[in-house]
Amino acid sequence: MRRDETRAGGDLAGERDFRRLWAGTTVSRLGSAVSMVAPPVVAITVLDASAFQVALLSVIQAVTIVVVAFPRGGISNSGPNARS
């Protein structure tokens, strides 16, 4: 059997590359969820922030993504290895 063929049962969980992809995706999504939830929780429990302050913190998080991540993605996609 060639390496790129799946097993007879079609069991992707037995493929090493698939398991690594699945584990990496799981860890990434868990980290993203924690990073969205943790700052407001810390602001409320440790800093005794008001509802307005927590909302402002959430807005700042969203604006940061728009201002930093989106332009950075465009820059990285316009390099010499960019696909058309």
Side-chain angles (χ1 to χ4, degrees):
M1 176 177 11
R2 291 190 338 229
R3 179 168 162 65
D4 60 345
E5 292 178 354
T6 58
R7 294 186 179 155
D11 183 23
L12 285 177
E15 296 293 327
R16 181 174 181 259
D17 291 339
F18 178 76
R19 286 193 315 263
R20 291 178 70 188
L21 174 67
W22 183 84
T25 302
T26 301
V27 170
S28 175
R29 287 186 181 203
L30 179 63
S32 295
V34 168
S35 70
M36 292 301 290
V37 172
V41 170
V42 169
I44 292 169
T45 58
V46 176
L47 303 174
D48 295 323
S50 67
F52 174 76
Q53 290 170 328
V54 173
L56 186 61
L57 179 64
S58 298
V59 167
I60 291 171
Q61 280 181 311
V63 167
T64 303
I65 291 171
V66 171
V67 170
V68 175
F70 290 155
R72 181 64 188 132
I75 291 169
S76 64
N77 286 337
S78 65
N81 294 331
R83 294 181 183 159
S84 298

